[in-house]
Amino acid sequence: MIKFILNGKEVETVAPATVRLIDLLRDDFQLIGPKEGCGDGECGTCSVLVNQLVQNSCLIPIGAIEGAEIITIDGYCNTEQFQLLSECYSEAGAVQCGYCIPGMIMASEALLSQNPHPTEEEIREGISGNLCRCTGYNMIVDAIDLAAKKGDGLW
Amino acid sequence: MNAKDISISVKKKDHDGKVSGQLAYIGDVKVDLMLYGVLYRSPIAHGKVRSIQLPPLPEGYAKIGAEHIPGANFVKLLHKDQPIFADEWVTYIGEPMFMLVGPEFDILHQLLDEVEVDIEEHPAILTLEEAIRQKDHTGVFASHEFGERSDVIKAIEQHAHQIIEEEYVTGYQEHVYLEPQGMLGIYTDEEILVEGSMQCLYYVKNALISALACKDDEVRVIQSPTGGGFGGKEDFPSLMACHVGIAAKAVQKPVMLLFDRAEDFEVTTKRHPAKFIYRTALDEQGNILCMNVELYLDGGANAGLSPVVLQRSLLNSAGVYKIPHFHAKGYALKTNTVPNGAFRGFGAPQSFAAIESLLGHISGKVNRDPIEYKRNYIVKQGDPTITGGRFKDPVLIDDMIQDLLQTVEYAKKKAEFHAFNQHNKRYKKGIGASFFLHGCGFTGSGERDHIKATVKLARTENDQVLIKISNSDMGQGALTTLSKIVANELGLPYEDVSFPYPDTKEVPDSGPTVASRTTMIVGKLLERAASKMKAGWQSGVSQEAVEHYVHEEMIPWDEEKFSGDAYPAYSWGVNLIELEVDTLTGNVKVEKVYGSFDIGKAIDEQIVKGQIDGGMAQGIAYGFMEKMTSKSGRIEQKSISDYGPPTAMDVVHIESKLYDNPFAGGPYGAKGVGELPLTGGAPAVQAAIEDALQIDFYQIPVTPELIIERLTKRAGGSD
């Protein structure tokens, strides 16, 4: 039995310790926010927060998350920080096909919570584990920059 | 700009669902009793199937193969050469031979490993070079030849001061849409329903009708939210739809086929690798007297869309230039490799990379600045196209070039870079530009003869308007853009117009979502339908408005002779790139990127900017980063990092500028924008690297390895 905190609630599972976190979240907890883009930890579409750090859920065997706090976009989307990020992503035109976006949002949160006023270079580095094929990234970088400015004090 | 200007951006229709992760893509869908499918794929590039031996299948598992196809065993598109399940001959590694279906993925994969096939191996054509050698005997999907007569060219060449011969090759490009391909087939007593990630609902529907040998109302196709397409979900989804449609019918249960990234890389269509051979005659001053080009596309194992891709490659083989006495010949050839298909630009990016490279090299040989040299040949309004059509609308490209040169202070920058390079041994700076266009819509009379688009608007009694068309939003913003056009025309709030994900049961065939046609062609039809609806508006009463495509006659297109007006309108672009090359590692650091575009009129400035940024990032990466190769018939790159698309660290801010040049045939003057921004990236980055190193390259991508190889050769005196 593995116990952990998922989007603020204590949960447990009897699934084997080798099951990937992404599969547990999507199949057992019916959370569709983390998407599978590669299964190799290369694209970031399955990004979640594990104890506030952004991680690829496809690379994590659930045996490693005993006692950890996991936040996925499905829970994060009820926060004030998400509301602001969503507004800024819209204002900057940062969302196209949308498949990378849940992961991008989680990476944005991880970055801003560590560094509330990042430089452009720091934003690019902060989302460099998350691929986007539609936008060429600049409008996403603008969105995060905008959120950092508008959200003064929120992070 | 006034408050009612249609170009002002609005919140995208699908923003909330996408940003919260709660919009369900096909991989997020689960239905009761759903089975998964996995495909057994040919391990051999070319061979005759002798036997297939399956392990014992547990209860609830089944093999679905050619024997289950009620109709003909090919995917309906252009040629009848792509089997749904290859049961007699296999023609490339990865070709689907049959499918296993069942409830558990792990067990399905275990079973696949235990399958034994016996295939008699036959000689395979594994490279484009080999296909070119054999083209007079076999393996030509399509060919065209047009332009100046060869005896005239011969006579000119005899009196020329100099003949320049150059070869140029371009590699594969992989779409890397972030959502891998996926398709779900659902069986009911009345119909087979197929749902998935796709650009072209009616291509899929027509393929299903052919494969299932059924009536029009016995199949239904619904587009799921689509996580990127770029052409990769134009032709390929039809094959997957046939697989799940046939399987669902056979087992009378829902069947889901989802690719993981490695499978997607190995077996889905890619941008055609190409080879160009140019022969150019010059006079004593270095002016072009005539030009001859032969081009070859590697089509892969079946025709797919290659014949049409070839047309666009040929139509762009002279770039944006008026070249005297131009002659071109091109082939789409068969190889026993993964079939190539549509990719943003559709054959044009290869041609622009080639012609821009060639003219850059010629300018160097005759000691002229490349930009100045190319500008001598830029087409003007009223000039003929290379197929005897006419550039009938205003052509702004030379003004766009002039503006950009002033913005970047080109001459000054060149001098600065020259000085920097003289004093810096390791790092070298360069600046390069590309000039290009994109013919909007289908080539020739395709819209009139093949597509025959129809659009529908439906208004409810509550004055809510629904857009009923078969075009997909794959991220490019069609839901928003087209809703804006309709709302604006009807004078309704944008919120009162909705555009549900299309379902062939509900929507007429407004054509596929390809060829930079959606905003220009479908948008124009919607504008007309809205204006018709407005004229008959009666509040509180439901109403429908339907519009059909009307062909605007130009100089008639003749596909056989390859003559006439190939496109109703052209969008134009100018790119300029500044970069620095590290001569120790071969690494290229792109420092500044500029793009100027004439797309008629932006329907939504932010959406257009998104197309520009994303397209240019793909195009630039095609020129120096993204390398995909095939060895012994197998794609060598298995993962995203093997291949190397750009991350946020690899791109820089793009300085872009739009020029208004409204086109009467498009809604509010809009022309196509989807493909254009990709086209100029590769030639601009190549030109800038050449400027930095003073070395000519004859291929893309210009990777660090290639740079080091050429620098080493130069140092050794053999280059």
Side-chain angles (χ1 to χ4, degrees), chain B residues 38-57:
Chain B
V38 291
L39 289 157
Y40 186 86
R41 300 182 173 282
S42 171
I44 304 268
H46 186 206
K48 195 167 193 310
V49 182
R50 282 201 196 109
S51 70
I52 296 170
Q53 271 203 309
L54 298 179
L57 298 181

Side-chain angles (χ1 to χ4, degrees), chain B residues 18-287:
Chain B
K18 284 181 172 176
V19 80
S20 63
Q22 301 311 299
L23 180 73
Y25 296 80
I26 193 65
D28 300 324
V29 173
K30 287 197 172 85
V31 293
D32 284 347
L33 305 173
M34 187 171 92
L35 303 181
Y36 291 98
V38 291
L39 289 157
Y40 186 86
R41 300 182 173 282
S42 171
I44 304 268
H46 186 206
K48 195 167 193 310
V49 182
R50 282 201 196 109
S51 70
I52 296 170
Q53 271 203 309
L54 298 179
L57 298 181
E59 203 186 322
Y61 289 77
K63 175 212 173 200
I64 306 296
E67 65 276 17
H68 294 96
I69 305 173
N73 186 7
F74 68 86
V75 181
K76 191 175 173 198
L77 191 63
L78 299 173
H79 295 196
K80 298 180 176 178
D81 63 345
Q82 183 186 16
I84 296 166
F85 292 115
D87 60 335
E88 292 175 23
W89 286 89
V90 289
T91 58
Y92 67 97
I93 293 174
E95 183 164 28
M97 295 176 66
F98 59 88
M99 181 157 80
L100 296 180
V101 300
E104 298 288 338
F105 243 130
D106 293 350
I107 296 176
L108 286 166
H109 281 287
Q110 234 167 22
L111 292 169
L112 267 193
D113 286 344
E114 293 167 27
V115 170
E116 281 179 29
V117 296
D118 181 15
I119 299 173
E120 177 186 291
E121 221 171 322
H122 283 248
I125 299 173
L126 297 176
T127 62
L128 180 57
E129 284 301 327
E130 183 58 32
I132 294 170
R133 277 195 291 275
Q134 299 204 18
K135 75 176 190 319
D136 294 337
H137 314 289
T138 181
V140 178
F141 291 133
S143 70
H144 297 281
E145 182 168 6
F146 65 98
E148 186 56 273
R149 291 195 343 244
S150 48
D151 57 324
V152 174
I153 292 213
K154 224 172 236 161
I156 295 170
E157 286 183 347
Q158 271 170 3
H159 297 101
H161 173 69
Q162 194 181 0
I163 307 276
I164 298 199
E165 290 186 276
E166 270 199 26
E167 291 189 4
Y168 188 80
V169 280
T170 65
Y172 282 110
Q173 190 177 21
E174 161 58 40
H175 308 84
V176 207
Y177 30 69
L178 263 282
E179 179 210 22
Q181 304 262 1
M183 201 68 70
L184 170 66
I186 294 176
Y187 170 88
T188 67
D189 288 342
E190 294 79 39
E191 64 187 17
I192 296 291
L193 165 63
V194 170
E195 216 179 314
S197 191
M198 67 179 78
Q199 296 175 226
C200 311
L201 280 84
Y202 276 86
Y203 283 5
V204 170
K205 184 176 173 184
N206 292 334
L208 283 166
I209 291 174
S210 164
L212 297 171
C214 66
K215 294 198 204 101
D216 187 80
D217 62 355
E218 292 171 335
V219 285
R220 177 176 173 192
V221 178
I222 299 177
Q223 183 222 345
S224 310
T226 298
F230 317 113
K233 292 170 184 172
E234 175 170 346
D235 41 330
F236 193 84
S238 296
L239 174 64
M240 293 178 79
C242 289
H243 291 152
V244 297
I246 290 160
K249 190 176 166 99
V251 299
Q252 305 201 349
K253 281 193 183 132
V255 177
M256 175 78 94
L257 184 57
L258 292 173
F259 286 179
D260 65 16
R261 184 61 60 182
E263 186 171 21
D264 201 297
F265 261 44
E266 191 181 2
V267 304
T268 64
T269 52
K270 325 218 170 286
R271 186 184 301 290
H272 293 71
K275 177 174 182 176
F276 298 79
I277 303 172
Y278 284 97
R279 222 177 124 81
T280 313
L282 304 179
D283 69 11
E284 281 178 22
Q285 288 76 43
N287 301 306

Side-chain angles (χ1 to χ4, degrees), chain B residues 263-577:
Chain B
E263 186 171 21
D264 201 297
F265 261 44
E266 191 181 2
V267 304
T268 64
T269 52
K270 325 218 170 286
R271 186 184 301 290
H272 293 71
K275 177 174 182 176
F276 298 79
I277 303 172
Y278 284 97
R279 222 177 124 81
T280 313
L282 304 179
D283 69 11
E284 281 178 22
Q285 288 76 43
N287 301 306
I288 297 171
L289 297 173
C290 67
M291 187 183 285
N292 186 66
V293 54
E294 281 170 46
L295 76 86
Y296 303 96
L297 297 181
D298 180 346
N302 49 59
L305 292 166
S306 295
V308 200
V309 174
L310 173 66
Q311 290 184 20
R312 208 178 262 277
S313 289
L314 279 167
L315 290 164
N316 291 296
S317 56
V320 292
Y321 307 109
K322 187 179 168 187
I323 306 282
H325 305 289
F326 183 81
H327 177 95
K329 189 175 179 179
Y331 297 84
L333 299 176
K334 173 171 176 157
T335 57
N336 294 106
T337 59
V338 61
N340 295 307
F343 194 145
R344 198 176 198 173
F346 209 69
Q350 294 93 317
S351 292
F352 279 100
I355 187 73
E356 290 294 286
S357 167
L358 174 73
L359 292 195
H361 297 166
I362 294 177
S363 72
K365 287 189 171 74
V366 300
N367 295 316
R368 307 258 286 269
D369 176 80
I371 295 180
E372 179 262 320
Y373 185 77
K374 288 180 195 172
R375 283 179 77 184
N376 289 318
Y377 296 97
I378 293 262
V379 294
K380 295 178 185 62
Q381 182 176 18
D383 277 348
T385 70
I386 54 174
T387 54
R390 208 167 65 88
F391 289 104
K392 61 182 170 37
D393 294 318
V395 174
L396 309 184
I397 187 167
D398 200 54
D399 300 335
M400 289 156 60
I401 297 170
Q402 185 59 35
D403 281 358
L404 193 50
L405 294 183
Q406 272 170 8
T407 303
V408 303
E409 299 185 280
Y410 179 72
K412 193 175 148 208
K413 195 146 277 170
K414 270 269 222 211
E416 278 172 23
F417 284 5
H418 184 70
F420 175 92
N421 292 346
Q422 287 216 311
H423 293 107
N424 208 308
K425 228 176 142 188
R426 178 168 171 184
Y427 297 98
K428 305 286 179 186
K429 285 184 185 289
I431 182 168
S434 62
F435 312 139
F436 48 100
L437 58 72
H438 192 82
C440 307
F442 267 85
T443 301
S445 48
E447 291 287 345
R448 182 191 60 198
D449 299 338
H450 304 299
I451 305 302
K452 302 173 189 152
T454 300
V455 306
K456 196 176 187 179
L457 288 177
R459 181 163 64 87
T460 67
E461 288 164 13
N462 308 324
D463 292 346
Q464 299 288 305
V465 174
L466 293 178
I467 295 177
K468 298 197 164 191
I469 57 172
S470 62
N471 295 95
S472 302
D473 191 316
M474 53 191 133
Q476 88 282 36
L479 298 181
T480 302
T481 307
L482 298 177
S483 297
K484 277 179 88 175
I485 291 170
V486 171
N488 214 67
E489 199 58 27
L490 285 169
L492 284 181
Y494 161 72
E495 294 72 25
D496 289 358
V497 177
S498 58
F499 179 178
Y501 282 95
D503 170 348
T504 57
K505 208 154 200 178
E506 298 291 328
V507 303
D509 186 357
S510 58
T513 314
V514 305
S516 302
R517 67 181 287 279
T518 305
T519 304
M520 187 177 93
I521 305 272
V522 183
K524 186 70 185 179
L525 291 176
L526 286 169
E527 185 192 59
R528 279 174 27 205
S531 133
K532 198 193 238 179
M533 179 171 267
K534 196 176 182 183
W537 191 276
Q538 254 187 300
S539 220
V541 184
S542 64
Q543 184 190 359
E544 276 191 357
V546 175
E547 279 291 316
H548 302 281
Y549 177 73
V550 180
H551 195 70
E552 191 78 26
E553 200 50 87
M554 307 166 288
I555 298 170
W557 174 249
D558 183 328
E559 193 176 307
E560 279 296 298
K561 294 188 185 133
F562 225 69
S563 72
D565 272 317
Y567 300 102
Y570 299 87
S571 289
W572 303 81
V574 177
N575 285 173
L576 190 139
I577 290 177

Side-chain angles (χ1 to χ4, degrees), chain A residues 78-104:
Chain A
N78 300 312
T79 63
E80 201 184 339
Q81 287 86 345
F82 169 81
Q83 280 312 322
L84 181 66
L85 278 169
S86 172
E87 268 169 50
C88 294
Y89 269 63
S90 176
E91 199 177 325
V95 181
Q96 289 193 33
C97 89
Y99 204 75
C100 74
I101 294 296
M104 281 289 181

Side-chain angles (χ1 to χ4, degrees), chain B residues 579-582 585-590 624 685 689 702-704 707:
Chain B
L579 50 73
E580 188 178 271
V581 185
D582 180 346
T585 62
N587 279 332
V588 171
K589 190 169 149 230
V590 172
F624 83 113
V685 84
I689 294 171
V702 183
T703 58
I707 288 172

